[in-house]
Amino acid sequence: CRLMTTTLCSESERVDRSVFEAMEEFEFDEFGSTMVMCVMRNVKNMKEVVKSLRSGVVYASLLKANIVPDAFLLRAATFKALQLQQRNEMKTKTIFSEILYNLYPRKQISQAFVDVGAGKKDRDIIVIAIRDGNGEDGMSGVLDLVEGDVVSVNTLNGSWDRDEMEKVYGINSANKTTEDIVLDISTVLTKKWI
């Protein structure tokens, strides 16, 4: 695995360069796939986005940004989803729903979509797309659809909702650093993965 700098590609040249500077790529050599992710703030058309997601038009994971304190958790959930896909052991229908499900601490798939997946009322979301060996991913389709500001994944640190995060993950985050909270959430998720 390795973190990469995002570069413009022909598929995405129509999108403003600043958008790509805000994206983060993480290459999973062992699976021949690259995770492409960004945060979108002030999304104005989530109702339309959710409808497109449910109808299969969007090829990405769309997650609530207010419950993820660090991109490490996103990379770990994506790694686990790619691993399960390779083994034909996914619990959900797509790699994108598997990423979402891997960020949920319990086993109820439908509740994972409610608690972790971006909903109609969310204004800040995380977008994760997977680029396969052919160099194709669903990020440009998401960027064309979603009306919002693309910002760096680094903005997650410190912008999460403590109460909502505690409710979803069942942790106590009082007087803890972001690193300690990430460790607590990782521990909760790892117990589910085993």
Side-chain angles (χ1 to χ4, degrees), residues 28 35 73 117 122 134:
F28 296 100
M35 170 188 185
L73 296 169
D122 290 308
N134 298 327

Side-chain angles (χ1 to χ4, degrees), residues 19 26 39 42 45 74 79 95 118 146 162 169 190:
V19 167
F26 198 79
V39 174
N42 307 312
N45 64 331
L74 303 172
F79 178 87
I95 188 70
V146 179
R162 189 174 294 271
Y169 294 108
T190 303

Side-chain angles (χ1 to χ4, degrees), residues 10-16 19-20 23 38 40 43 45 48-49 52 57-58 62 127 137-148 150:
S10 60
E11 171 193 5
S12 307
E13 287 177 342
R14 66 184 180 278
V15 180
D16 187 311
V19 167
F20 286 92
M23 287 191 205
C38 68
M40 298 193 80
V43 177
N45 64 331
E48 177 187 348
V49 171
S52 296
V57 175
V58 175
L62 303 181
V127 180
D137 64 53
M139 188 60 81
S140 63
V142 174
L143 295 175
D144 288 342
L145 175 66
V146 179
E147 297 172 13
V150 179

Side-chain angles (χ1 to χ4, degrees), residues 173-191:
S173 63
N175 302 319
K176 291 188 178 180
T177 65
T178 300
E179 292 80 16
D180 290 337
I181 293 168
V182 170
L183 182 60
D184 287 352
I185 294 171
S186 298
T187 302
V188 169
L189 294 177
T190 303
K191 287 177 183 176

Side-chain angles (χ1 to χ4, degrees), residues 1-8 17-28 33-40 61 68-76 78 125-131 137 139 143 150-157:
C1 301
R2 67 178 173 231
L3 186 62
M4 301 169 47
T5 305
T6 304
T7 57
L8 292 173
R17 182 173 183 78
S18 65
V19 167
F20 286 92
E21 291 170 355
M23 287 191 205
E24 181 177 303
E25 292 185 0
F26 198 79
E27 190 172 314
F28 296 100
S33 298
T34 302
M35 170 188 185
V36 182
M37 63 180 161
C38 68
V39 174
M40 298 193 80
S61 290
V68 180
D70 190 83
F72 170 78
L73 296 169
L74 303 172
R75 290 189 293 269
T78 302
I125 63 172
I126 299 166
V127 180
I128 300 175
I130 301 295
R131 183 176 305 129
D137 64 53
M139 188 60 81
L143 295 175
V150 179
V151 298
S152 171
V153 175
N154 294 333
T155 63
L156 290 174
N157 193 342

